[in-house]
Amino acid sequence: MPSENLYELTSLAILEGRDSLPEQQLTGETSPLAGLINQLLRENQTLRHDHQRAVEYIRAKINQLLMVIGTVPLRAEELTEEHLIDLDPLGIVAQSFARILEHSRETNRKLALARDEIQAIFQSVGGSLLVLNEKQRIISYNENFRASFCPDQEEIIGKGCHEIICKRDSPPADFCILQKLQATGRGCTMSPWPFADRYLRVVATPIKDNAGAIIQTVLLYVDITELIETRSALSAEKERLATTLESIAEGVIATDTEGRVTMLNRVAEKLTGWEARQAIGKSICEVLQIENQEPLGSCGDFFQDLLQSQIPVERVENTNLTALDGSALSIYLSAAPIRQPDQSVTGAIIVFRDISGEQRIKEELAKAAKLESIGLFAGGIAHDFNNLLTAILGNVSLARAQLSPDHAVFQLLNETEKSSNRAKGLTQQLLTFARGGAPITSLTSSRTLIIDSARFPLSGTNVRLDFAVPDELWPFEVDEGQISQVLQNLVLNASQAMPEGGLLRVAAANLQLDADPGLPLPFGRYLKISVVDQGPGIPAENLDRIFEPFYTTKSTGQGLGLAICYSIIKKHRGLLTVESSPPDGTAFHIYLPASEQQLEVAEITETVEVKSGRILVMDDDEMILSVVRAMLEFSGYEVVEVEDGETAIAVYKKALESGGRFDAVLIDLTIRGGLGGKEAIARLRSLDPGIRAIVSSGYASDPIMSDYRSYGFCGVIPKPYRAQELTATISAAIRGGRETA
Amino acid sequence: MSNDPQSRIIQVDMRGQVCPSTLLVAMDNLNRHGEGLQSGALKLLIITDNREALHTVPATAENMGYAARITKTTSHYEILIGLPDQER
């Protein structure tokens, strides 16, 4: 069957991909059909071929598009022909492209915005900006740069920064930030960079390509002159403040608003015992432990009040500060809130001062003032008392002189005179206590003075006295009353140190100082007097202070006794020392210059050499006038009495004019309500430069008494005095006058 | 790209699949969920064992303005795609 054969041949041709049937089929009865089949076979092949090309075209285009996107082409097995249509890959890619374009437009818009932003920043930044290319030529600059560095320059683009800023042909070999940038490859800063009379901060920032090479550089110049100057001024100010705080005498502590210490100066460290590094951050109340009844209260209350009320506290006294080591100080304290210019409070400042010393001085001054008023009172009494004693002693000595020594009354008068002499000693002490005046010295037997003075305070005690005072002791020129007081004081102290009794040794010796004995005394002849007790001794810590005024360990003591002793010995150009080694008793040593003079053995007061002459006596005390008249007339003098200076001058002038000049004048230093001795002698000397005047006073401490010669007197006689002393002084004055005349 | 708990994650598992292309499927999903991805409401998690996709998928996602993060597990890779951090 020919049609069946044709069918098979056609199927085979399709299968084998041929475009024609075998030649023999084109003949015979099937040839028209075979011709048609051949045509169809050829068309089929063409169609297949076209299909293949279309698929390849689509694949190629998809791959091309994928390459455009930036990915890799698809492998054939990744996309079969069937998926090629079903999946719609072109559609997918196209849609993706739409998104990519959209994203790209968005990115462009953002870039444009960013560029505008950068341009705005570039122009408005508070500094000069330059952008350099890889050859370090300027490709961009801002207006600030032009105004600051080259207002008149027309061409800036294309120049090197060294041409415009450094004004040179090539970049400087050193101090160029670009070199630093090239060397490190990183952004760098130079600050402060001196430029003309300004200081700049220069910041160089590199812009790199993907390979890390610098393709552009941004340079920023900021003028920091003001900052540098402000910083330097601030640092100077800080330094000044710190120096001030360290050099003031007050302690200063600053705190924050919570009361934590932020600063304390050196004085505050010393007073509180806290070191700054320990104290900072601690509560003020821990560091400054103060106690005050009124008006501060406790530290916490006080501080809270201060920060709440914000009212400064000024100079609050009677405040006690307990230091870290537990020691207590008396302080005054001021405190104030620290305010900012906007009035807000940022903390507090506390200023305090150690007034323990001032307090002590105040107390001592009060004591001294009290003592001075007692002294004035005592001085007044002593003066009157001396006048009374002058009358008693004068009358007694006169009465005795009129009796023979074997008369029954003679001995009684002797006893009266002795008692009066003791009373005289007492007023001397009173006066020394009152004024501690300059000593009125006279050549004195040291031995007699030592023994008499040491015995006196021991009557009625069970202290045994042992003297080691040699007969050949040198005499000295001392104020008997004062030295006697020193000895009495030392002996009294020693006996008080032995309330149960004991042995008190008083020793004296001549001492020639000619090699350095370690004593602060010039070389020469001295008397050393020692008072040694068997008491408990004085502890070493008290030994240094026992000569200080008002220092006492006795509950009833004034602390004056040893201080007066020290001062008296000092005024005699001597030295008072103490040694003690508890419990073996205490020794006080007195060193006094010895006199070169020999003591006259006979009492000159008993011999009356001149018993004639006219004496003018000036005293405001009638009792004194009468006893002096009696004493002088008894000795053979003629006496004229006056009660004040004016009268004395008038009488002396009248006598002078009438040719009856007075042989001597006895003048009382103090005249109540009238012209006193000091003024009287000045005027009398102008009348008669050769006047023989003797000054007398109950105030032994008056400087005129110890320095009478420079005031124009030729003699001195402290009250009270006995007849022999008075006549001896008067006759010495008259004799001196006759010798010089 | 942070793991924002606010974003919903759509998972596309393409393990063992050669055809159709992982890239085209990923792109198709990126297109289809474009709105959610751009608003930040969505994230796409592509699970694949095709190493090539580790390059092609993230590159395409970035071109479209997304960020991609690859995580390797013992058996496969996960590519998480979403908005970059600074745009959220």
Side-chain angles (χ1 to χ4, degrees):
Chain A
M1 173 87 184
S3 61
E4 281 172 8
N5 189 30
L6 195 60
Y7 173 79
E8 282 168 9
L9 285 171
T10 303
S11 297
L12 189 67
I14 291 169
L15 196 67
E16 290 175 352
R18 283 182 279 112
D19 61 354
S20 62
L21 295 169
E23 285 292 322
Q24 66 266 25
Q25 295 297 320
L26 296 171
T27 57
E29 60 179 283
T30 57
S31 65
L33 189 57
L36 185 62
I37 289 170
N38 267 354
Q39 190 188 342
L40 287 173
L41 279 173
R42 277 194 300 276
E43 279 177 15
N44 183 38
Q45 197 145 28
T46 307
L47 280 174
R48 276 182 180 225
H49 186 251
D50 288 351
H51 172 75
Q52 196 56 43
R53 277 183 57 202
V55 166
E56 276 165 18
Y57 173 78
I58 292 171
R59 277 189 202 281
K61 289 298 138 186
I62 290 169
N63 282 333
Q64 189 184 355
L65 288 171
L66 290 176
M67 297 283 278
V68 170
I69 293 174
T71 64
V72 294
L74 298 173
R75 282 173 280 120
E77 68 269 23
E78 284 186 287
L79 196 64
T80 59
E81 281 179 31
E82 153 195 0
H83 277 114
L84 205 58
I85 306 300
D86 295 350
L87 192 63
D88 185 21
L90 281 175
I92 291 172
V93 174
Q95 205 181 337
S96 294
F97 256 102
R99 170 63 201 149
I100 289 167
L101 280 174
E102 189 191 334
H103 172 60
S104 171
R105 274 195 298 273
E106 214 173 294
T107 306
N108 282 339
R109 190 180 52 76
K110 285 180 188 165
L111 279 174
L113 191 65
R115 190 196 56 217
D116 292 349
E117 272 176 22
I118 287 170
Q119 193 57 32
I121 293 167
F122 196 66
Q123 292 300 345
S124 62
V125 71
S128 305
L129 278 168
L130 273 189
V131 184
L132 308 179
N133 64 11
E134 76 279 11
K135 294 195 175 94
Q136 299 185 352
R137 295 280 146 186
I138 297 170
I139 55 171
S140 184
Y141 60 89
N142 67 356
E143 197 42 47
N144 191 310
F145 177 81
R146 175 195 277 285
S148 302
F149 292 98
C150 44
D152 306 321
Q153 186 118 6
E154 288 181 0
E155 281 301 320
I156 297 174
I157 299 292
K159 295 251 194 301
C161 61
H162 54 269
E163 292 172 75
I164 293 176
I165 297 172
C166 304
K167 309 276 187 214
R168 46 191 296 162
D169 296 337
S170 59
D174 52 3
F175 217 57
C176 177
I177 196 164
L178 292 176
Q179 289 181 351
K180 205 171 156 190
L181 182 80
Q182 291 291 340
T184 62
R186 284 197 302 268
C188 48
T189 302
M190 276 177 136
S191 178
W193 192 63
F195 174 76
D197 57 345
R198 317 289 295 168
Y199 290 101
L200 304 178
R201 172 184 290 133
V202 189
V203 184
T205 311
I207 299 172
K208 297 178 181 178
D209 63 12
N210 288 339
I214 298 174
I215 50 170
Q216 285 186 4
T217 305
V218 178
L219 287 174
L220 169 68
Y221 300 86
V222 182
D223 189 333
I224 53 166
T225 311
E226 226 167 279
L227 178 73
I228 296 279
E229 284 171 357
T230 308
R231 204 182 278 167
S232 142
L234 187 68
S235 137
E237 178 64 22
K238 258 180 131 175
E239 184 62 30
R240 200 175 62 79
L241 185 66
T243 313
T244 309
L245 280 178
E246 287 308 331
S247 56
I248 61 172
E250 274 91 357
V252 180
I253 299 183
T255 75
D256 60 14
T257 49
E258 305 296 315
R260 282 185 299 260
V261 173
T262 56
M263 188 281 301
L264 79 167
N265 71 352
R266 206 168 300 149
V267 177
E269 280 185 327
K270 200 176 132 209
L271 296 183
T272 61
W274 284 80
E275 279 181 40
R277 59 187 172 83
Q278 301 172 304
I280 284 170
K282 294 248 171 20
S283 157
I284 177 72
C285 296
E286 197 178 333
V287 176
L288 192 70
Q289 293 198 19
I290 51 168
E291 242 179 83
N292 177 293
Q293 301 306 316
E294 286 293 331
L296 299 184
S298 76
C299 174
D301 293 348
F302 150 66
F303 205 78
Q304 213 164 1
D305 283 357
L306 177 72
L307 285 177
Q308 268 169 13
S309 69
Q310 303 185 1
I311 299 166
V313 174
E314 296 219 7
R315 282 191 73 98
V316 179
E317 293 192 12
N318 67 308
T319 303
N320 288 324
L321 168 70
T322 308
L324 193 57
D325 64 3
S327 60
L329 290 176
S330 187
I331 59 167
Y332 84 65
L333 179 143
S334 302
I338 303 171
R339 282 179 206 279
Q340 293 297 310
D342 67 356
Q343 293 299 303
S344 67
V345 171
T346 58
I349 192 119
I350 297 132
V351 179
F352 53 102
R353 186 190 188 107
D354 178 9
I355 50 167
S356 307
E358 287 168 36
Q359 203 92 333
R360 217 166 24 236
I361 289 170
K362 239 186 218 175
E363 283 165 14
E364 283 177 12
L365 281 176
K367 256 193 204 171
K370 203 159 76 185
L371 284 170
E372 193 175 326
S373 57
I374 294 171
L376 281 174
F377 176 64
I381 288 178
H383 174 254
D384 288 348
F385 204 57
N386 275 342
N387 277 349
L388 293 171
L389 279 174
T390 306
I392 293 168
L393 269 172
N395 284 319
V396 166
S397 59
L398 270 180
R400 201 179 48 179
Q402 293 170 41
L403 293 174
S404 75
D406 52 359
H407 195 282
V409 178
F410 192 93
Q411 198 50 39
L412 296 176
L413 287 173
N414 263 351
E415 291 302 316
T416 310
E417 195 184 88
K418 270 191 188 169
S419 296
S420 301
N421 273 330
R422 299 223 336 231
K424 177 183 163 184
L426 211 61
T427 49
Q428 280 302 331
Q429 274 197 56
L430 209 53
L431 278 170
T432 314
F433 169 72
R435 293 281 172 90
I440 301 168
T441 62
S442 57
L443 191 64
T444 307
S445 158
S446 48
R447 187 170 191 275
T448 315
L449 183 66
I450 292 166
I451 292 173
D452 286 354
S453 306
R455 270 199 188 125
F456 178 64
L458 289 181
S459 51
T461 69
N462 45 4
V463 170
R464 200 152 49 80
L465 248 181
D466 171 28
F467 283 110
V469 182
D471 287 336
E472 65 276 16
L473 212 55
W474 293 325
F476 47 18
E477 279 177 89
V478 295
D479 185 313
E480 273 185 62
Q482 291 189 359
I483 296 300
S484 172
Q485 189 190 349
V486 170
L487 286 163
Q488 288 178 29
N489 255 327
L490 294 181
V491 167
L492 196 65
N493 274 350
S495 74
Q496 284 170 352
M498 300 184 288
E500 306 300 319
L503 180 70
L504 175 61
R505 194 156 180 276
V506 176
N510 292 333
L511 181 68
Q512 179 76 41
L513 277 188
D514 42 20
D516 187 3
L519 292 171
L521 286 171
F523 295 156
R525 279 153 43 102
Y526 289 88
L527 277 136
K528 180 181 178 183
I529 308 159
S530 302
V531 178
V532 185
D533 68 45
Q534 292 182 317
I538 302 166
E541 62 267 27
N542 294 349
L543 216 52
D544 287 343
R545 299 191 59 194
I546 60 167
F547 295 125
E548 284 178 20
F550 313 116
Y551 179 80
T552 181
T553 55
K554 298 177 195 165
S555 57
T556 55
Q558 283 279 16
L560 270 178
L562 285 173
I564 289 179
C565 290
Y566 188 81
S567 143
I568 289 173
I569 299 297
K570 265 285 201 218
K571 281 178 182 160
H572 280 82
R573 291 171 288 111
L575 182 70
L576 178 59
T577 66
V578 61
E579 57 180 322
S580 185
S581 41
D584 295 331
T586 305
F588 283 92
H589 304 289
I590 302 168
Y591 298 85
L592 284 167
S595 175
E596 300 292 336
Q597 294 182 46
Q598 286 299 310
L599 209 58
E600 288 177 38
V601 179
E603 283 221 345
I604 55 161
T605 51
E606 297 299 341
T607 61
V608 179
E609 290 168 30
V610 179
K611 291 191 175 174
S612 66
R614 278 181 85 219
I615 316 294
L616 179 62
V617 179
M618 171 186 134
D619 203 304
D620 62 342
D621 191 322
E622 222 175 287
M623 195 173 61
I624 298 290
L625 285 176
S626 112
V627 73
V628 167
R629 171 191 281 278
M631 287 191 283
L632 291 178
E633 282 180 353
F634 180 76
S635 298
Y637 295 107
E638 186 187 332
V639 175
V640 177
E641 300 165 8
V642 289
E643 291 194 357
D644 60 64
E646 294 288 358
T647 319
I649 290 158
V651 169
Y652 197 89
K653 192 177 174 191
K654 200 175 165 190
L656 206 60
E657 283 164 0
S658 64
R661 180 173 181 260
F662 283 100
D663 292 292
V665 187
L666 179 65
I667 295 175
D668 186 36
L669 199 53
T670 321
I671 301 293
R672 286 192 186 90
L675 193 65
K678 186 180 164 189
E679 294 78 16
I681 185 65
R683 286 177 47 188
L684 284 171
R685 270 172 68 85
S686 67
L687 286 177
D688 178 11
I691 186 170
R692 310 300 299 165
I694 296 150
V695 64
S696 168
S697 177
Y699 291 111
S701 56
D702 195 298
I704 297 176
M705 293 293 282
S706 51
D707 194 20
Y708 56 91
R709 282 188 197 280
S710 36
Y711 290 88
F713 293 103
C714 60
V716 63
I717 182 160
K719 288 177 186 174
Y721 40 78
R722 289 174 296 163
Q724 293 90 332
E725 287 164 344
L726 178 64
T727 48
T729 308
I730 296 277
S731 73
I734 294 172
R735 199 169 56 234
R738 284 180 187 160
E739 278 164 10
T740 50
Chain B
M1 184 180 60
S2 62
N3 279 324
D4 192 339
Q6 300 288 311
S7 304
R8 192 159 59 85
I9 295 179
I10 293 176
Q11 203 167 310
V12 184
D13 194 342
M14 286 188 284
R15 279 176 288 184
Q17 230 176 296
V18 177
C19 182
S21 151
T22 310
L23 174 62
L24 287 175
V25 176
M27 283 167 85
D28 187 29
N29 276 287
L30 285 171
N31 289 339
R32 224 170 310 142
H33 301 297
E35 214 170 298
L37 284 165
Q38 282 162 49
S39 71
L42 274 188
K43 278 181 183 163
L44 207 59
L45 183 71
I46 306 211
I47 303 172
T48 177
D49 43 18
N50 176 3
R51 273 186 64 87
E52 206 170 63
L54 300 184
H55 166 66
T56 57
V57 173
T60 309
E62 276 157 26
N63 278 332
M64 296 168 83
Y66 306 124
R69 197 175 61 206
I70 300 165
T71 314
K72 185 179 188 285
T73 71
T74 49
S75 58
H76 61 270
Y77 303 98
E78 291 183 357
I79 306 170
L80 185 66
I81 299 168
L83 272 191
D85 279 349
Q86 67 268 27
E87 310 215 347
R88 297 181 64 82

